[in-house]
Amino acid sequence: MATLADIGLAAAINILSAFAFLLAFAILRLQPINDRVYFPKWYLKGVRSSPTHSGTFVRKFVNLDLHSYLRFLGWMPAALKMPEPELIDHAGLDSAVYLRIYLMGLKLFVPMAILAFAVLVPVNWTNATLENLKVEYSDIDKLSISNIAKRSPRLWAHLVMAYVFSFWTCYVLLKEYEIIASMRLHFLASEKRRPDQFTVLVQNVPPDPDESVSELVEHFFLVNHRDHYLTHQVVHNANKLAKLIEEKKQMQNWLDYYQLKYDRNPSKRPTAKTGFLGLCGKKVDAIEFYTSEVERLSKKAATERDRVKKNPKSIMPAAFVSFRTRWGAAVCAQTQQTRNPTLWLTEWAPEPRDVYWQNLAIPFVSLTVRSLIMAVAFFFLTFFFMIPIAFVQSLANIEGIEKAVPFLKPIIEVHIIKSFIQGFLPGIALKIFLIFLPTILMLMSKFEGFISLSSLERRSASKYYLFILVNVFLGSIVAGTAFQQLHTFMHQSANEIPKTIGVSIPMKATFFITYIMVDGWAGIAGEILRLKPLIIYHLKNFFLVKTEKDREEAMDPGSFDFASSEPQIQLYFLLGLVYAVVTPFLLPFIIIFFGLAYAVFRHQMINVYNQEYESGAAFWPDVHGFARAAMTLLLLNIHFRKP
């Protein structure tokens, strides 16, 4: 059983780890050699130049200004200083709304924590149920609803606070929805006109033996939308052409490198080997070789382009249709075009950066089959993944380790080592098991055939949240307590199982507290350190960078990983709302997460991430819906213990 002292020591260890990450970031970001890693967005915007281009040799790599180190936490106020309208102009509406989710967490849980510690904690602590039962319990159990007997009059305090917290959650969600809806309307109204605002994607165009797809689309919209139709572009299956263009870009990059090398030293023509990675094969004149390769690929791409245009089999039964007005596009995107609901399907076209072109070539008839296959695959992935998680969770605790390796018991029982294991091991074990999951879920979403990057990320985020709801939340509760009480489950009705889970929830508070500290404190601090991008950038810069274009690609931070980060936030909303009444001691740990994450990701949105697309905060309704579902679990949880 973990005591408050154990939790305090574990918290101290995680706080020190997070502080070490923040301190390392504060020092590394001041070094000129790392400037492109920690401020790449300003380089991509063309408003920042490399500090390594001036000063002495040492100053090009190391910051020798000692005064700058005294302001090592200056990035925090700088990140919070930028006003929200300026942030939207700088980073986009998606980034600004994503940051408001963290802000909403603070608005939600800070008042809850104050009320819970003022009302519920004294009610729980001053009761003596656990002492009278003479069972093994921890200080955290005494602070929780576990210390209140069934049908005790004290449960009225918990029931009343559950409804107070629910009403507060509804109020905060309502206000945030109003604010974000206003932000989105203002963003769309004030933004410069974009083609996608007047464009609709039409899919499953029926075949016609007398007309081509292009002629059929034109005639259909001239007849049915004659006052608003402007033009259209049919979709071609040009995936092979895209590969040729990418290969040509690589050859052009090598040509630029060797041309630059020759310009610096005209007395010597550069040479290269034609074999694998330029390490073997015939030695040739590099400029002539890559010039011929670029010309060859250009001709091949032109031939493929002509083939795609002329080959009827390359034309997909889909098209982008543009209208004269937004109103005309909106009417078309939101209405059924024919009596047959499977033909002439229309939806808003994603902006050009948001289109996932590879999936436009998927026949519409196979999309339903793909969705069914992925639904079955996700079901088995979710429930079979619970087996290794349950096994690891059974070992990633003091009792499990002592049972597996009894000869280590004297070492494990040392107070510091015991607290370290309780504070780190369960959370780290779970993080390791989840490390490849976002990639797997994204591949599954791509297979389903979604046509935009934003919809791919939203779909992956929804899958990820359902996965962690089952395996991290319910799975940890069931694996940690219900599996131990399996004989009880087998001898009770199905109606009693939710009650058993409701009783088991407070028993896993310690695990979730350690998970929040590892994932939400040290993990967020590790996000700002960017250790992996830092190492990769310097390796690429040393071994692979040949031109300025290579350097830009090496420092490109990419987009913010919404598909894995948004479900993490939803898990913390779920934990905060479910445990707000039963174990209020967990709330301060969640508040620290939301506060730290808000500052860190505000810095990252301003200085690092370069969003690949702009969806106009299309993900917000999903976030709002998951938060409402978590609020429902709050009421159900306390209902199982009603007085």
Side-chain angles (χ1 to χ4, degrees):
M1 289 288 182
T3 64
L4 286 178
D6 294 332
I7 293 295
L9 183 57
I13 293 172
N14 281 281
I15 289 173
L16 289 174
S17 301
F19 184 77
F21 287 143
L22 294 175
L23 183 62
F25 160 72
I27 294 173
L28 289 173
R29 78 182 185 92
L30 294 175
Q31 311 312 314
I33 196 174
N34 299 326
D35 202 59
R36 290 179 180 268
V37 178
Y38 293 112
F39 301 96
K41 192 163 191 172
W42 299 102
Y43 282 89
L44 296 174
K45 285 180 174 288
V47 297
R48 191 180 182 99
S49 59
S50 177
T52 61
H53 290 168
S54 60
T56 63
F57 179 78
V58 176
R59 288 181 179 274
K60 291 182 179 181
F61 300 95
V62 181
N63 185 354
L64 300 179
D65 182 9
L66 298 180
H67 292 287
S68 62
Y69 291 95
L70 300 177
R71 303 185 300 272
F72 69 96
L73 290 179
W75 64 270
M76 282 192 176
L80 301 175
K81 189 185 299 183
M82 182 179 286
E84 193 168 65
E86 186 179 341
L87 177 66
I88 294 174
D89 291 337
H90 175 71
L93 184 65
D94 283 344
S95 300
V97 171
Y98 179 80
L99 292 173
R100 288 202 67 91
I101 302 175
Y102 291 108
L103 199 59
M104 185 177 73
L106 293 173
K107 293 178 180 179
L108 199 62
F109 292 117
V110 170
M112 281 187 183
I114 295 173
L115 279 175
F117 274 81
V119 178
L120 297 179
V121 169
V123 170
N124 296 336
W125 183 262
T126 56
N127 208 36
T129 298
L130 294 175
E131 295 178 9
N132 296 334
L133 290 174
K134 296 182 179 180
V135 296
E136 187 179 0
Y137 64 91
S138 68
D139 295 333
I140 296 177
D141 292 328
K142 195 172 180 181
L143 289 169
S144 74
I145 201 173
S146 298
N147 200 29
I148 307 296
K150 291 183 179 180
R151 303 193 180 280
S152 169
R154 293 188 177 222
L155 286 173
W156 280 108
H158 299 79
L159 185 62
V160 171
M161 294 306 296
Y163 280 97
V164 169
F165 291 166
S166 298
F167 284 126
W168 174 246
T169 302
C170 290
Y171 175 78
V172 171
L173 288 175
L174 175 63
K175 289 299 179 183
E176 283 300 312
Y177 209 109
E178 290 176 353
I179 292 171
I180 292 174
S182 176
M183 290 170 59
R184 189 171 189 271
L185 289 172
H186 183 267
F187 176 79
L188 294 175
S190 62
E191 192 180 24
K192 295 180 180 178
R193 291 189 172 191
R194 297 197 320 248
D196 57 281
Q197 296 173 340
F198 298 82
T199 304
V200 168
L201 174 62
V202 183
Q203 293 178 287
N204 209 28
V205 177
D208 191 312
D210 300 324
E211 291 184 315
S212 66
V213 173
S214 180
E215 293 171 338
L216 191 60
V217 169
E218 183 177 21
H219 292 168
F220 180 86
F221 284 94
L222 282 174
V223 171
N224 295 282
H225 299 271
R226 59 181 179 274
D227 294 331
H228 302 285
Y229 169 74
L230 180 63
T231 186
H232 74 278
Q233 174 61 55
V234 295
V235 176
H236 295 80
N237 185 354
N239 291 340
K240 185 177 179 181
L241 176 61
K243 293 179 181 178
L244 289 173
I245 297 297
E246 185 62 29
E247 187 178 352
K248 177 187 171 184
K249 286 171 60 179
Q250 294 177 1
M251 295 296 107
Q252 183 65 50
N253 197 41
W254 278 106
L255 176 60
D256 294 341
Y257 165 69
Y258 284 113
Q259 188 64 54
L260 182 62
K261 189 175 181 180
Y262 178 68
D263 292 341
R264 291 174 178 172
N265 186 14
S267 61
K268 184 179 180 181
R269 295 279 294 185
T271 59
K273 293 183 178 180
T274 59
F276 178 72
L277 295 177
L279 301 176
C280 58
K282 182 181 178 182
K283 184 180 286 188
V284 296
D285 184 288
I287 295 178
E288 292 180 358
F289 173 74
Y290 284 107
T291 299
S292 63
E293 284 295 298
V294 170
E295 292 176 353
R296 179 183 67 83
L297 289 170
S298 297
K299 293 178 181 178
K300 196 171 181 180
T303 303
E304 177 65 17
R305 186 181 292 108
D306 292 337
R307 187 193 70 80
V308 168
K309 288 182 177 180
K310 296 176 181 178
N311 187 1
K313 293 183 179 180
S314 297
I315 301 176
M316 305 305 300
F320 290 98
V321 181
S322 297
F323 293 80
R324 302 179 188 277
T325 63
R326 290 185 182 182
W327 185 87
V331 170
C332 181
Q334 300 176 62
T335 55
Q336 183 175 316
Q337 302 301 309
T338 64
R339 292 182 179 180
N340 188 338
T342 65
L343 300 177
W344 295 99
L345 301 179
T346 56
E347 61 178 297
W348 278 109
E351 66 159 321
R353 295 178 302 168
D354 192 19
V355 178
Y356 188 68
W357 296 99
Q358 290 88 329
N359 279 357
L360 286 177
I362 299 176
F364 177 80
V365 98
S366 69
L367 293 178
T368 304
V369 177
R370 286 168 173 255
S371 296
L372 180 61
I373 292 173
M374 285 301 99
V376 174
F378 179 68
F379 174 84
F380 284 105
L381 174 68
T382 301
F383 286 94
F384 279 98
F385 214 87
M386 190 182 291
I387 298 173
I389 285 183
F391 176 73
V392 171
Q393 294 290 21
S394 67
L395 294 179
N397 56 66
I398 300 297
E399 294 79 8
I401 295 174
E402 290 179 350
K403 186 177 180 180
V405 282
F407 60 88
L408 293 179
K409 184 174 181 179
I411 300 175
I412 293 171
E413 289 297 329
V414 176
H415 182 67
I416 295 179
I417 297 177
K418 184 178 180 180
S419 298
F420 179 83
I421 292 174
Q422 290 176 329
F424 269 97
L425 194 57
I428 289 177
L430 191 56
K431 286 284 289 182
I432 291 173
F433 264 86
L434 297 177
I435 195 168
F436 296 110
L437 183 63
T439 303
I440 296 172
L441 296 179
M442 179 57 75
L443 290 174
M444 293 173 68
S445 298
K446 289 180 178 179
F447 182 81
E448 283 187 76
F450 291 95
I451 60 167
S452 66
L453 298 174
S454 57
S455 59
L456 283 171
E457 294 209 326
R458 293 199 305 274
R459 183 67 170 179
S460 298
S462 298
K463 287 191 178 81
Y464 196 9
Y465 178 68
L466 290 174
F467 184 93
I468 61 178
L469 174 65
V470 173
N471 283 290
V472 178
F473 182 68
L474 295 176
S476 295
I477 291 170
V478 173
T481 59
F483 281 178
Q484 297 168 6
Q485 303 171 12
L486 186 58
H487 66 282
T488 305
F489 275 12
M490 294 179 66
H491 294 87
Q492 64 183 190
S493 66
N495 293 333
E496 295 296 318
I497 293 178
K499 295 183 180 181
T500 304
I501 294 176
V503 172
S504 302
I505 285 176
M507 300 170 64
K508 296 303 293 182
T510 302
F511 165 74
F512 287 121
I513 288 173
T514 59
Y515 180 79
I516 291 168
M517 288 190 292
V518 172
D519 182 66
W521 295 7
I524 292 298
E527 156 69 29
I528 200 171
L529 180 59
R530 289 177 55 78
L531 187 59
K532 180 181 174 182
L534 178 69
I535 295 173
I536 291 176
Y537 169 75
H538 286 302
L539 288 175
K540 285 183 176 180
N541 195 37
F542 187 80
F543 292 106
L544 301 177
V545 168
K546 305 175 293 295
T547 63
E548 280 300 317
K549 184 179 180 182
D550 285 341
R551 185 167 284 106
E552 285 187 9
E553 292 179 354
M555 76 170 182
D556 183 13
S559 297
F560 174 71
D561 190 6
F562 173 82
S564 61
S565 297
E566 188 270 334
Q568 178 197 42
I569 306 176
Q570 294 303 326
L571 175 63
Y572 291 134
F573 273 114
L574 176 66
L575 293 177
L577 290 171
V578 168
Y579 279 95
V581 175
V582 297
T583 311
F585 185 71
L586 181 137
L587 289 178
F589 297 89
I590 288 186
I591 291 171
I592 293 174
F593 159 75
F594 278 110
L596 179 62
Y598 178 71
V600 166
F601 282 111
R602 215 172 197 275
H603 173 276
Q604 300 296 77
M605 296 299 186
I606 293 172
N607 299 302
V608 179
Y609 292 119
N610 184 38
Q611 287 306 103
E612 191 173 358
Y613 61 85
E614 176 59 60
S615 70
F619 57 84
W620 169 247
D622 294 336
V623 174
H624 194 271
F626 288 139
R628 294 199 312 271
M631 181 192 67
T632 304
L633 287 176
L634 161 65
L635 293 174
L636 290 176
N637 186 31
I638 197 62
H639 174 75
F640 295 138
R641 289 176 173 268
K642 62 183 179 180

